[in-house]
Amino acid sequence: PVTIYYAFKQSETGKNGAVSRTGWETFLEAVIAAGFAVGGTWPMRTERQGRLISNDTNALASSIVLVCRPFDESAPMATRSEFLATLRAELGTRIRLLQSGNITPVDLPQSSIGPGMEIFTRYSRVLESDGSKMSVGNALAAINDILEEVLADQEGDYDPATRFAISWFEQHGTSQGSFGDADNLARARNTAIDGLSRTGIVESGSGKVRLIDSSEYSSTWALSPGDNVTVWEATHRMILAHDTGGVDEAGGLVSQFGVDLSNRCKDLAYRLYSICEQKRWAESAVSYNGLVASWPEILRSADSQAIEQQGALI
């Protein structure tokens, strides 16, 4: 095996404003042309949090080590549809493993490239529908599409209000939209605007609807018995707590929400970061990425606070 240490900005902006990864494409083409197949990628935490270049930016949080082996000359060919079917069957599991390892949202697209290229380079070539050889660029685009599918599929675990909020956020962010459009979307998600207003995640009036920004939630809020907190509300209360009070404040909310709801908040942060990256909403993206980056410390703080509370009761 050969290991190659690689560090590159997570994305570049193309001529049309779309996110591209030409650096990765050029690099991987060179690796494959040199006779190697990619066996995997290992993100490494090499950048100190809080360094000047990363403050209020989405700077690279990890470097990547690629594990390569000599290309198997007897490898079979595959059609585009066969390659995509294998990606869907295998890549989702690998992405969820990366998430469980607390790979930050800003690094997840890069970290997903390795498992995807492992599948791509297990074939001698992948043939497009016109019989031409699939380029590395097209393979990377397919890997990114599967990543988006995996993050979107996790929405099935959320409550109807959260599913509405994700779709509305993707269209409008926290800006206003028409009540009619919001009502139609809410009905499709098996909920209603009146109910969403009562949960406190949207503001409705004068024919307009908007999502409440995390900064507008109360900083003195506490969970009461019988409260039915949506994943969307819990996530944004944790964002506010983390942004204003750090890991201890966020850990206090984890203690109140419990492990299951808190883990869903972490998953939602991945999805919302992806939306913010596509929309170029840098400020919101930083908050979602920061929540996941601090997750181990948040959990440790939550455990510590739980032990203190138990000791006080005894």
Side-chain angles (χ1 to χ4, degrees), residues 46-85:
T46 58
E47 310 301 328
R48 179 176 62 83
Q49 291 186 14
R51 70 196 193 284
L52 292 179
I53 193 174
S54 68
N55 289 341
D56 298 323
T57 68
N58 286 333
L60 179 68
S62 298
S63 300
I64 308 295
V65 173
L66 280 84
V67 181
C68 306
R69 290 183 180 274
F71 185 76
D72 183 2
E73 297 294 343
S74 64
M77 290 192 301
T79 63
R80 177 183 177 86
S81 60
E82 290 171 336
F83 169 60
L84 294 179

Side-chain angles (χ1 to χ4, degrees), residues 80 84 88 138-150:
R80 177 183 177 86
L84 294 179
R88 288 192 172 89
N138 286 344
L140 289 175
I143 292 167
N144 190 64
D145 289 342
I146 299 299
L147 171 61
E148 291 299 316
E149 288 181 14
V150 171

Side-chain angles (χ1 to χ4, degrees), residues 95-103 108 151 154 266 270:
I95 290 171
R96 285 186 283 271
L97 182 61
L98 289 169
Q99 288 179 300
S100 68
N102 213 60
I103 299 300
L108 187 61
L151 295 178
Q154 292 176 342
K266 177 189 172 186
Y270 278 103

Side-chain angles (χ1 to χ4, degrees), residues 191-214:
T191 186
I193 298 300
D194 288 346
L196 294 169
S197 296
R198 287 193 294 272
T199 66
I201 69 172
V202 303
E203 180 183 77
S204 176
S206 303
K208 299 291 183 180
V209 173
R210 73 175 182 91
L211 288 168
I212 300 298
D213 187 78
S214 60

Side-chain angles (χ1 to χ4, degrees), residues 10-214:
Q10 75 275 10
S11 63
E12 300 172 285
T13 303
K15 294 180 180 179
N16 60 357
V19 173
S20 64
R21 291 182 174 83
T22 56
W24 268 106
E25 182 178 345
T26 303
F27 171 65
L28 290 170
E29 283 177 345
V31 170
I32 294 171
F36 290 107
V38 178
T41 52
W42 293 91
M44 295 184 66
R45 178 68 54 176
T46 58
E47 310 301 328
R48 179 176 62 83
Q49 291 186 14
R51 70 196 193 284
L52 292 179
I53 193 174
S54 68
N55 289 341
D56 298 323
T57 68
N58 286 333
L60 179 68
S62 298
S63 300
I64 308 295
V65 173
L66 280 84
V67 181
C68 306
R69 290 183 180 274
F71 185 76
D72 183 2
E73 297 294 343
S74 64
M77 290 192 301
T79 63
R80 177 183 177 86
S81 60
E82 290 171 336
F83 169 60
L84 294 179
T86 306
L87 270 182
R88 288 192 172 89
E90 299 183 20
L91 189 55
T93 300
R94 302 287 291 277
I95 290 171
R96 285 186 283 271
L97 182 61
L98 289 169
Q99 288 179 300
S100 68
N102 213 60
I103 299 300
T104 56
V106 73
D107 288 331
L108 187 61
Q110 284 199 110
S111 303
S112 302
I113 288 174
M117 291 306 297
E118 177 186 353
I119 297 170
F120 181 70
T121 56
R122 75 175 54 162
Y123 302 111
S124 61
R125 63 178 58 197
V126 177
L127 300 179
E128 299 278 15
S129 55
D130 61 0
S132 62
K133 182 180 178 180
M134 177 181 285
S135 67
V136 171
N138 286 344
L140 289 175
I143 292 167
N144 190 64
D145 289 342
I146 299 299
L147 171 61
E148 291 299 316
E149 288 181 14
V150 171
L151 295 178
D153 285 346
Q154 292 176 342
E155 294 179 22
D157 295 332
Y158 302 144
D159 52 89
T162 297
R163 294 200 299 271
F164 163 86
I166 294 170
S167 297
W168 190 255
F169 182 75
E170 191 168 13
Q171 297 176 41
H172 301 280
T174 55
S175 299
Q176 289 184 331
S178 75
F179 178 88
D181 290 344
D183 186 55
N184 289 335
L185 181 60
R187 292 176 186 274
R189 297 295 186 272
N190 195 31
T191 186
I193 298 300
D194 288 346
L196 294 169
S197 296
R198 287 193 294 272
T199 66
I201 69 172
V202 303
E203 180 183 77
S204 176
S206 303
K208 299 291 183 180
V209 173
R210 73 175 182 91
L211 288 168
I212 300 298
D213 187 78
S214 60

